[in-house]
Amino acid sequence: MSATFVGMPAFPEAARRALENTQQRHNLAHATGTIRDKRAAVVAEVDDWEALRLAGAAIKDQTLRHLDDHLVALEAALQERGATVHWARDAEEACRIVADVARAHDVDEVVKVKSMATQEIGLNEALEAEGISAWETDLAELIVQLGDDLPSHILVPAIHRNRSEIREIFRSAMGEVGRPAPDPLSDDPADLAGAARLHLREKFLRARMAVSGANFAVAETGTLVVVESEGNGRMCLTLPEVLVSVVGIEKVVPTWQDLEVFLQLLPRSSTGERMNPYTSTWTGAVPGDGPQEVHVVLLDNGRTRALADEMGRQALRCIRCSACLNVCPVYERTGGHAYGSVYPGPIGAILNPLLKGTGVDEQTDSLPYASSLCGACFEACPVRIDIPSVLVELRGQVVDAHRGGVPKPEAVAMRGAGWVLSSSARTARSERAAAFAGRLLNRLPGGRRQGDRRVLGSIPMPGAGSAWSQARDVPVPATESFRDWWSRTDGGEDES
Amino acid sequence: MDTQEAAGVRVGLMITCINDAMFPDTGKSVVRLLRRLGVEVEFPPAQTCCGQPMVNTGYFDEAVPMVRNFVDAFAGYDYVVTPSGSCTGSARHQHQIVARRSGDPGLVRAVEEVAPRVVELSEFLVDVLGVVDVGAYFPHQVTYHPTCHSLRMLGVGDRPTRLLGAVRGLRLVELPAAEQCCGFGGTFAVKNADTSVAMGSDKARHVLDTGAEVLVAGDNSCLMHIGGILSRQRSGIRVMHLADVLASTEGDAGQTGDAGPAKTEEMLP
Ligand code: SF4
């Protein structure tokens, strides 16, 4: 059981396949629509929402500016309270650290509280290679794991599934890896949750080691924070003897007071709730209470690269609320798998290229273009990440990375269009050619018209034109450009 | 400012490359409408394209000559008025980025000079001229799609619907999920054609649900996309630019062409 994003095709191709899955499109439209409405309602309740967003962005920016200092402070506070701190430059290092801890304790299974960072580094697969099973305990994450599937949403990894699909997954897969689903099992949400509870309880009580992420890491006291809805995470954080937390270095906040802002922004933006049901905090190891050995892996894996990008570094403010996914019209149609990463949607479209770099592989380079730049994500983001501007900036980086060598047809077209459109004389000449074509096309027999204009639809067009005309009619060029009309009629004064 | 004062204002029309080559009638509507309101308009012939297709696709270097050309063509006008929310956004926000990246301080200064005076048509009518009733007549059931750039980049708010609300004979019906993007997005429509069409089809379905005869928006590029889908579906719904509706008067009512909603099916040979 280990699906992986490795080798996913570039976005347009992956999206085309996803669009063919009508059940998934239905599930997504329903789920995102529901969360969208909930979020809008609870955000509207807060009078100073805009001020909160500004405060959230400011705290994060300020922290990122002195990230090194805050991380050193965090490390010191963690050590002081009995935690072991590890630094991991990349995924491989991080996975090795976790596996070493597991081996030192001779465990062959760990329980996990949903963590983006461990998914980002492919921890489950790395542990599996060492003969260690990692059990996801978040309900949606469990569904993904049992279904041998990939997560498709930051907060609701199984958002692309509906309840009858979940019932089937539970019935066919639970028994193979632990306690089977009760029989009979209905697709009632309470029934499904009950099956998951029984299945997971067994694992909670048996596991001696847990792996978690963290939503925030408070530097002043060395405290890690997890915000969740189900309480399963809290079981992971308190029951096992050994706890390893893998934390991205951008998760640090200087003080407890900073949490005041984020604990207001996060639940309203993510689940559309005023407050999340469980907020767990843990600080080092406390003798006789909870895990007796606590390890914290501070993960870079491209974050310092993102930090070095003047425009893109704002992406590190992200608190993974998933509001941008739920309002994104592209995500709503394609789902999360098309982005080929644990970070899908608008934030994924900028975060992945920022972490991995542009010009490295085609899949990553396709992500900045997976947006119509409608701006809904910026409007929703609780920490005001200007995703559309970062997307455009990254597109520039993708284009620049491919300059030199044999230019792509698109680059040739853009250069050509740029040459024509930077001079009014050349523009006018090309418009006259288009108008001439328009007059010719208008005279062709048959075909359809809209008003006095013929539309091109059935007529095959070259290159980009065919991508357009497959499902859309396009009017033929006007028979006279505005420019020519203006000079012929003296600005419409002597129109006859 | 009332219409009297408007007479002294120098207004340069930015017709946009798509309108110039594909939808010149919208440009003519803007001219007619503004003249009717007492505004003297000029069309600086040196203008071409604002460079948005290049910038939004990542070809910043290629956009530099276009931005240069734009600021040259429109220097010295009190206002640059354009029937496109997205091109207004490009001139107002993106030109500065292009200029800064070009490393030419002269271009940066020129952009800072021109950019703040570029306004979208509904902004010009409501904010600058202070009119909501432009004396138009359009006896049809209409629904309005707020294009993303005018909605979010410019924040034109309810200006377009207030203008439409004051048109005599016009019945405005609400568009479900109006604020969702239609999926045009410039080169997105070609680079991610399948997703673009999926978004556009949902938009078209919402338009059909309204029962309106005409879909109105402030950007012909988005309308070309939605209209292209509606036309392929033989839906019988016409798409029109806001300027074309606002320019319509009682005199046009009998004609087809610009003034009335000509349905696709009626035009079948
Ligand atoms: S980018 Fe903003 S909206 Fe999207 S997940 Fe991050 S914090 Fe939430």
Side-chain angles (χ1 to χ4, degrees):
Chain A
M1 242 187 289
S2 69
T4 158
F5 281 113
V6 175
M8 282 286 283
F11 187 84
E13 165 66 13
R16 192 177 56 70
R17 284 193 222 159
L19 288 165
E20 285 164 5
N21 186 343
T22 46
Q23 179 65 60
Q24 171 172 301
R25 271 182 75 180
H26 180 84
N27 298 349
L28 280 166
H30 176 77
T32 55
T34 308
I35 314 180
R36 221 164 31 226
D37 292 348
K38 269 178 79 183
R39 178 196 155 271
V42 296
V43 163
E45 290 174 355
V46 184
D47 290 334
D48 60 347
W49 184 253
E50 203 47 40
L52 275 173
R53 287 176 83 204
L54 287 164
I59 294 170
K60 282 279 184 179
D61 276 350
Q62 181 66 22
T63 312
L64 289 168
R65 214 166 293 139
H66 307 282
L67 189 60
D68 42 356
D69 295 338
H70 295 296
L71 286 170
V72 169
L74 175 69
E75 179 184 39
L78 279 164
Q79 284 167 343
E80 203 175 304
R81 289 176 171 73
T84 309
V85 177
H86 309 258
W87 298 87
R89 215 164 327 170
D90 55 21
E92 211 190 312
E93 269 186 23
C95 289
R96 198 175 329 117
I97 293 165
V98 182
D100 285 349
V101 174
R103 260 204 315 263
H105 289 272
D106 212 13
V107 300
D108 61 4
E109 62 174 6
V110 302
V111 284
K112 286 183 67 198
V113 37
K114 176 174 130 51
S115 150
M116 304 298 299
T118 60
Q119 285 170 357
E120 174 190 323
I121 60 176
L123 180 66
N124 291 12
E125 294 72 36
L127 290 178
E128 193 178 282
E130 306 258 341
I132 303 160
S133 313
W135 306 117
E136 296 292 347
T137 66
D138 170 87
L139 178 56
E141 205 61 61
L142 176 73
I143 296 164
V144 169
Q145 189 177 35
L146 290 174
D148 201 8
D149 199 354
L150 288 164
S152 65
H153 190 272
I154 290 178
L155 196 80
V156 202
I159 195 169
H160 55 295
R161 300 289 201 179
N162 62 25
R163 46 170 142 146
S164 63
E165 291 174 298
I166 295 167
R167 171 176 173 266
E168 280 322 302
I169 291 170
F170 278 11
R171 282 194 352 158
S172 63
M174 268 183 178
E176 280 178 41
V177 293
R179 182 178 175 131
D183 194 28
L185 178 69
S186 81
D187 65 1
D188 184 58
D191 230 27
L192 295 172
R197 182 175 298 126
L198 291 171
H199 180 83
L200 288 172
R201 181 160 302 167
E202 213 179 65
K203 301 215 184 302
F204 285 134
L205 294 174
R206 202 174 54 214
R208 287 163 43 226
M209 172 169 157
V211 177
S212 89
N215 292 92
F216 305 99
V218 184
E220 64 175 346
T221 52
T223 302
L224 302 186
V225 184
V226 155
V227 173
E228 51 155 347
S229 299
E230 295 163 7
N232 290 340
R234 183 169 290 180
M235 303 280 268
C236 293
L237 298 168
T238 48
L239 285 174
E241 300 151 29
V242 183
L243 172 63
V244 184
S245 302
V246 182
V247 183
I249 53 173
E250 83 285 15
K251 297 281 180 182
V252 64
V253 294
T255 67
W256 274 83
Q257 198 170 0
D258 299 322
L259 291 180
E260 175 197 337
V261 172
F262 297 113
L263 293 182
Q264 292 182 73
L265 288 172
L266 183 53
R268 284 184 201 258
S269 303
S270 57
T271 47
E273 292 166 307
R274 299 187 181 93
M275 190 72 228
N276 50 286
Y278 295 87
T279 302
S280 305
T281 67
W282 66 103
T283 310
V286 182
D289 185 18
Q292 295 301 293
E293 201 180 304
V294 172
H295 295 263
V296 178
V297 183
L298 294 172
L299 175 73
D300 182 341
N301 205 30
R303 283 157 178 78
T304 47
R305 170 202 285 280
L307 193 62
D309 189 305
E310 205 181 318
M311 168 71 101
R313 68 174 61 129
Q314 56 183 305
L316 295 179
R317 289 187 212 144
C318 175
I319 54 174
R320 312 278 190 264
C321 71
S322 73
C324 58
L325 277 63
N326 299 327
V327 298
C328 176
V330 174
Y331 177 88
E332 183 183 330
R333 307 304 183 304
T334 64
H337 294 161
Y339 296 81
S341 159
V342 293
Y343 303 114
I347 183 62
I350 62 170
L351 195 58
N352 291 302
L354 285 166
L355 295 177
K356 294 182 198 162
T358 40
V360 179
D361 69 80
E362 199 197 343
Q363 197 276 330
T364 311
D365 282 356
S366 73
L367 293 177
Y369 294 95
S371 164
S372 63
L373 302 178
C374 79
C377 47
F378 182 23
E379 200 174 57
C381 177
V383 285
R384 290 185 56 96
I385 301 172
D386 185 356
I387 297 176
S389 294
V390 180
L391 284 166
V392 170
E393 167 70 26
L394 287 170
R395 290 175 187 189
Q397 293 182 16
V398 170
V399 166
D400 289 345
H402 293 281
R403 284 188 199 273
V406 183
K408 288 195 292 182
E410 177 189 278
V412 174
M414 283 291 174
R415 251 170 256 168
W419 183 75
V420 170
L421 289 170
S422 54
S423 131
S424 59
R426 289 194 287 266
T427 302
R429 268 202 300 279
S430 83
E431 279 170 359
R432 254 164 244 143
F436 177 71
R439 283 194 290 277
L440 277 185
L441 288 163
N442 268 330
R443 258 189 247 135
L444 284 176
R448 284 183 300 122
R449 270 150 218 284
Q450 200 175 13
D452 54 357
R453 295 272 282 282
R454 188 188 163 87
V455 293
L456 294 180
S458 42
I459 303 168
M461 294 200 287
S466 79
W468 179 282
S469 66
Q470 260 164 33
R472 289 165 285 211
D473 288 341
V474 54
V476 304
T479 48
E480 183 185 44
S481 70
F482 179 88
R483 176 187 310 276
D484 281 350
W485 170 81
W486 181 276
S487 63
R488 180 174 61 78
T489 64
D490 194 13
E493 297 291 0
D494 47 49
E495 189 157 24
S496 45
Chain B
M1 180 186 296
D2 63 23
T3 358
Q4 250 63 49
E5 282 175 74
V9 175
R10 268 194 87 209
V11 169
L13 281 180
M14 167 187 170
I15 287 306
T16 86
C17 55
I18 291 218
N19 284 324
D20 188 15
M22 299 292 287
F23 304 100
D25 287 346
T26 295
K28 295 175 204 170
S29 293
V30 178
V31 174
R32 244 189 309 151
L33 172 65
L34 293 183
R35 288 211 179 121
R36 200 167 77 208
L37 296 169
V39 182
E40 276 196 48
V41 289
E42 289 171 45
F43 173 79
Q47 67 179 283
T48 56
C49 163
C50 65
Q52 186 182 194
M54 279 79 196
V55 175
N56 279 357
T57 317
Y59 293 81
F60 287 93
D61 294 354
E62 283 76 359
V64 174
M66 265 170 269
V67 173
R68 210 180 290 282
N69 186 70
F70 182 90
V71 290
D72 287 347
F74 288 106
Y77 288 98
D78 297 315
Y79 290 98
V80 180
V81 178
T82 185
S84 162
S86 114
C87 300
T88 306
S90 158
R92 226 146 70 183
H93 302 293
Q94 296 186 327
H95 281 190
Q96 322 216 3
I97 304 170
V98 175
R100 246 179 280 129
R101 285 173 65 123
S102 78
D104 173 355
L107 187 58
V108 175
R109 267 195 307 278
V111 167
E112 275 166 7
E113 255 289 292
V114 178
R117 285 181 277 113
V118 182
V119 290
E120 186 267 346
L121 179 66
S122 75
E123 291 178 320
F124 182 73
L125 295 173
V126 176
D127 299 350
V128 181
L129 296 188
V131 290
V132 172
D133 183 349
V134 296
Y137 173 74
F138 192 72
H140 300 284
Q141 184 147 310
V142 163
T143 193
Y144 174 77
H145 166 62
T147 60
C148 300
H149 285 178
S150 51
L151 183 74
R152 300 198 183 89
M153 210 192 247
L154 303 182
V156 302
D158 64 357
R159 291 175 184 85
T161 43
R162 277 163 63 204
L163 289 161
L164 286 172
V167 173
R168 270 183 299 288
L170 186 145
R171 259 207 0 165
L172 190 62
V173 287
E174 204 179 314
L175 178 65
E179 299 194 348
Q180 253 212 9
C181 176
C182 71
F184 171 64
T187 49
F188 176 77
V190 175
K191 286 174 90 83
N192 279 287
D194 297 288
T195 311
S196 166
V197 168
M199 290 158 70
S201 304
D202 287 347
K203 180 62 72 180
R205 180 165 43 78
H206 290 312
V207 173
L208 287 172
D209 286 347
T210 64
E213 303 161 69
V214 189
L215 169 69
V216 175
D219 254 302
N220 270 329
S221 43
C222 304
L223 284 174
M224 184 167 72
H225 164 68
I226 311 170
I229 292 171
L230 287 167
S231 161
R232 181 66 59 89
Q233 295 174 347
R234 317 285 205 267
S235 68
I237 292 178
R238 191 180 190 199
V239 299
M240 280 176 80
H241 193 284
L242 178 67
D244 295 321
V245 174
L246 296 182
S248 303
T249 56
E250 218 117 356
D252 310 316
Q255 307 166 10
T256 51
D258 270 0
K263 298 188 182 176
T264 319
E265 284 85 351
E266 289 169 8
M267 298 301 155
L268 290 173

